[in-house]
Amino acid sequence: MSNSSHANANTPILHAEGLSKEVVSGERRLIILQALDIEVQAGESVAILGQSGAGKSTLLGLLAGLDAPSGGRLAMFGQSLGDLDEDGRAGLRAGRVGFVFQNFQLLPTLTALENVLMPLELTAVRDADRLARRWLERVGLGERLDHLPKQLSGGEQQRVALARAFVTGAELVFADEPTGNLDPVTGERIIDTLFELNHEAGTTLVLVTHDHALARRCDRCLQLTDGHLVEMMRDEVGA
Amino acid sequence: MTGSARLWGLSWRGLKRDMRAGDVRALFLALALAVAASTMIGFFLDRLDRGLTRQAGQLLGGDVVLEQSRPFDAALRETLESAGLTLSDQVDMVSMVSQDDAFQSVSLKAVDDAYPHYGVSRIARGDEVAEVASGPARGDVWIAPRLAMLLDAGVGDSLRVGSAELRVDGVIEREADPSAGFGNFNPRLMMHVDDLPATGLVQEGSRIEYELLAAGSAEAVASVAPVLARLRGEGVEVQDVREDRPRLGSALERADRYLSLAGLAAVLLAGVAVAMATRRYVERHLDTAALLRCFGASQRDLVGLFALQLLWLALAASLVGALVGLAGQALLLALLGAVMPIDLPPPGLLPLGMGIFTALAVLAGFAGPTLLRLRRVSALKVLRRELDPLPASAWIVVVMAAAVFGGLLWLYSGDGLLALGLLLGGMIALVVLWGLGSVLLRLLARLCRRLPHETGSPDNPWRALRMGGQQLARRHNASLGQLLAFAAALFAMAMIALVRGDLLNAWQAQLPEDTPNHFAINIQPGERDAFEAALNETADAHSALYPMVRGRITAIEGQSPQDVVPQEARGDNALRRELNLTWSDEVPTGNRLVAGEWFTASSTDSSGWMSAVDARKVAPISLESGLAERLGLGVGDTLTFSVGSETVKGRITSLRDLDWDSFRPNFYVIFPPGVLEEFGHSYITAFHLDTAERGVLLGLVEDFPAVTLLDVESILSRVREVLDQVTRAVELVLVLVLLAGISVLYAALVASMPVRAHEAGLLRVFGAGNRLLARVQGAEFALLGLASGLLAALLAELAAAGIYLTWLDLAPRWHLGLWLGLPLVGILLVGVIGQLLSRGLRRQAPMASLGLLGET
């Protein structure tokens, strides 16, 4: 596992200044994100709201170090991502960052247990098997350990993904539309589980969603519109 | 992310989980088949080589046979023995033996207690036939059946050999070292070498050949190579089994080449299967790689992880393949039981190592460039699924695969030029095939579009064919890739089957039913016509009657042959013995001119063939090409022969290849008519008699008492036996190639399943039933099979012609059956495997099918 310096109490876990992202399509330059500033403290839960196509997922990708910005500065755990190449950024994430995706991203040939084991196997975690089982039991899938994703419902698959995100003891979890592929009831349960796990583990949570109900459960809400990010008061977040 | 130890563990666990995937199973199957083919053929050829060497040793009487006209000295014996060789002495001569008033000239062979080094003699004593692993005891002789007949002698009778009286202990059915006696036309008599002094036959000036037969390991023989070279230079005739294979050699060498070819075909097919399966493997792991990047894996980790995973797979497949190869070679050995000696050392490790190396090389060459695509996966793909890295360039994949396969070709064939030629030919063929395949696909699609459009009935077969054709056309590039893979598989399978058929036909043609099994020699000119008439009446077939004059080469270009020929040829038999010279106005059957021109009477004047002899009395002669090569001679060189007390000069005007396996009279030197007639001569011919007609022989012996008849049926049947057994071995190897071909079909279809599933899902969504889906998919597979069969037929026809001409030394011919058979086999194979694999897809709910494309 790569261990760069841990953020101290006063250092934000995520800090972006003037963050921008442009893509060039033929002769056209398309500005997706423009001079964004954002700071996320350890233990916070932050929702990024926006319409479809607003660039939420692009922003999440930048914040998680999955993509490089066109401009601006970004630091994670106090480490400037601009100083790191892609491998360096991957190393920074190892064991410290968890992900939950809209389409679950479970590997179809792996069982539920094996999917949860995957990030543990990348980091030198002792007793990985026991840990993975415990997390799957924690999300209510203790009886479905050996099931392949196709044998699980959408909600169950997302719970496996939740277990996978938290199993490494991640300090920071990114969630991309975690209920986007689920019906409202199942989605509600998943959100309950997500926040329970977040509180139990004291994890920092950054999620992007267009679901205002979900956003209201976060400590802070940011609205992404026309490439700009605006902080919203909780009561400004509509139903 | 990880230490290397953890990477090893992670890759192993990943592979275990991955074994559920079809592409990994296809990879495993292909690699195991590559190893099985290469180890089985490697083991087999290794043992066949030893078997042939042993058999050659048996025919020659030892691994090395030295021959000269005086006894061998003790220093040489000591040298050979200290190298680990065991020695046996033989003395050969022509002598007279008698019983009562009957006298007969015999080919006498005196052997010691160490005789024979290899094999056993079959000795008849009355009604019993014993296999004896020794020579005659002191005081005893063994005699050939012909001698027994000529002297009217039987077991227990006494024969006078020189001054000694020796008892007939048995009649020789087969000598342990039969080739030694074949060149001499007198009937065999074998005795113990210790009895020779009592016969008084060994005297000053006697024409005696002393043979020293040495047996031992290849290493021991190799260690005395310098000694053998020196002896050759001193005029000693040296026969080494590894260089001087027996007469069966050419047929078995073809089998050896065929098996190598089959092995390489299996390896190439496995490579294609690996390439197809790897493509799917990589596509399926793009998401895994992106996730691993998210979780902190570096590019290096990714490459290491997946490369190790495939390494584990290759090792596991190698293990299974090697076991199959070992079992296969044991089966081959069982099939070849009579050819292979039973006391061979166990299979060596080299073929096993070569097998594993082959698997790794195939994996690196055929999977490497595709695998590197995983390295370029962006972590962002977890959020944006369309962010797949570009596939490796098709040309990089092909060039890398070709380089590795070319290396393997070189390694296996030992012929860099051949490897390069095949490789370049293969690359050109690939480009041509790509173009032809593309045209063929478009043509099929266009034809399908013109089929009756809609008839209302969903069961209408045209509808399915039309839709199947459209699907192929829509996925033109993917279909073209599959088409080429199938064509390659069908091509290789067809070629191996085809060459096998022609090889067997050639063997059968080489030894047809009426192959001569008797030789008649000493036919006097006055008896020639009568004997020929008798043969016409009684024998099934016979060769021409050739005149034969004995002559010795005494000079080359006016100098002593020993001073002119290369050092290693100084002990050559042709220089040490009298040759059988003949004359003929036409090229004998089975001979082929390879240089110069055949002599013609018309080229000079009407005064006959003698006019071909120039003013200096130098006659044109035709020389056997092998002898010319050994002695360093060519067209234009002059030879001087001593014939009787005369000298005859000849200038080489042509060189001939001839088939020493033909069981027909063959001659090193042929003169034109009009040169040798003045010398005393007799005639020789070969003829075939069925076993049931052996009584005819007695009639011939009675009518032509001076003619000597030699029965070579036992040698002929031995050759046939070997060919039968090698044929069975060849068939077993063919099965492996077929399996490798099927692995390609399997891998290619597995690789295409997600796209097919997606299409099937869409069709289901739009209301297609299971039956229509099955028909559409069946039609698509059938069209693919048809097109690949046609392409394969074209390729096989061209390749077979090339291989026949360059490698197997057979004349090329058209195979019309290919053009019908291969498309049919293609339709059936691709159709059946495709339908079996896609059966599951048709059972899937459309949701699952549609999801499959993105998630697997």
Side-chain angles (χ1 to χ4, degrees), chain B residues 511-518 535 537-542 686-698 700 710-714 716-717 720:
Chain B
L511 295 176
E513 280 300 303
D514 58 358
T515 299
N517 54 2
H518 290 82
L535 279 188
E537 206 172 290
T538 53
D540 301 332
H542 67 84
F687 58 96
H688 178 82
L689 269 187
D690 278 345
T691 318
E693 295 172 14
R694 292 300 169 84
V696 170
L697 279 181
L698 278 178
L700 285 173
L710 296 171
D711 184 350
V712 291
E713 177 64 35
S714 60
L716 187 62
S717 58
R720 284 213 169 94

Side-chain angles (χ1 to χ4, degrees), chain B residues 731-750:
Chain B
E731 281 165 355
L732 185 64
V733 172
L734 177 68
V735 172
L736 257 190
V737 177
L738 293 180
L739 281 177
I742 289 172
S743 80
V744 172
L745 300 182
Y746 177 68
L749 288 169
V750 162

Side-chain angles (χ1 to χ4, degrees), chain A residues 99-178:
Chain A
F99 289 90
V100 181
F101 304 103
Q102 179 177 357
N103 53 10
F104 322 135
Q105 289 284 10
L106 299 182
L107 296 178
T109 55
L110 304 192
T111 62
L113 179 64
E114 290 163 349
N115 265 292
V116 177
L117 271 170
M118 195 173 74
L120 288 175
E121 286 174 337
L122 289 172
T123 52
V125 174
R126 286 172 183 272
D127 232 356
D129 194 71
R130 191 185 54 78
L131 201 58
R133 284 169 190 275
R134 208 180 71 201
W135 274 94
L136 276 167
E137 281 163 13
R138 171 66 188 84
V139 297
L141 292 174
E143 305 297 315
R144 315 293 299 268
L145 301 175
D146 296 325
H147 285 61
L148 292 170
K150 67 181 178 188
Q151 296 165 320
L152 300 171
S153 69
E156 287 170 331
Q157 288 188 50
Q158 194 60 304
R159 279 193 273 158
V160 175
L162 286 178
R164 184 179 63 186
F166 286 93
V167 71
T168 55
E171 298 162 51
L172 175 59
V173 170
F174 291 98
D176 178 28
E177 300 278 15

Side-chain angles (χ1 to χ4, degrees), chain A residues 87 90 93 108-109 121-122, chain B residues 1 13 17 20 293 296 299:
Chain A
D87 277 353
R93 286 193 297 273
T109 55
E121 286 174 337
L122 289 172
Chain B
M1 101 181 168
R13 285 192 295 279
R17 294 165 191 161
R20 299 165 189 141
R293 293 292 276 155
Q299 286 187 328

Side-chain angles (χ1 to χ4, degrees), chain A residues 192-223:
Chain A
D192 288 345
T193 311
L194 173 62
F195 280 95
E196 280 170 26
L197 298 178
N198 185 36
H199 290 138
E200 282 172 24
T203 315
T204 307
L205 178 66
V206 176
L207 63 85
V208 299
T209 181
H210 60 267
D211 181 348
H212 286 224
L214 169 56
R216 274 203 304 273
R217 296 180 63 166
C218 294
D219 300 332
R220 289 163 61 205
C221 293
L222 302 168
Q223 176 76 39

Side-chain angles (χ1 to χ4, degrees), chain B residues 59 178-180 182 245-251 510 660-661 663 715 719:
Chain B
L59 283 170
S179 74
F182 186 66
R245 283 269 169 90
R247 272 178 280 275
L248 335 171
S250 71
Q510 181 185 314
W660 289 109
D661 301 344
F663 286 81
I715 295 178
V719 173

Side-chain angles (χ1 to χ4, degrees), chain B residues 536-590:
Chain B
N536 286 338
E537 206 172 290
T538 53
D540 301 332
H542 67 84
S543 70
L545 275 79
Y546 292 96
M548 209 163 72
V549 173
R550 305 279 283 172
R552 184 187 288 267
I553 299 175
T554 53
I556 296 173
E557 296 294 345
Q559 300 178 54
S560 163
Q562 302 293 340
D563 297 339
V564 179
V565 301
Q567 189 180 2
E568 63 275 12
R570 285 181 191 161
D572 199 286
N573 241 350
L575 299 178
R576 300 179 59 246
R577 291 179 176 163
E578 286 189 327
L579 301 178
N580 291 315
L581 314 176
T582 192
W583 66 85
S584 176
D585 56 1
E586 57 188 30
V587 183
T589 310

Side-chain angles (χ1 to χ4, degrees), chain B residues 368-381:
Chain B
T370 309
L371 195 65
L372 287 178
R373 190 179 172 204
L374 286 170
R375 185 174 182 268
R376 303 195 305 269
V377 170
S378 162
L380 200 57
K381 181 175 156 52

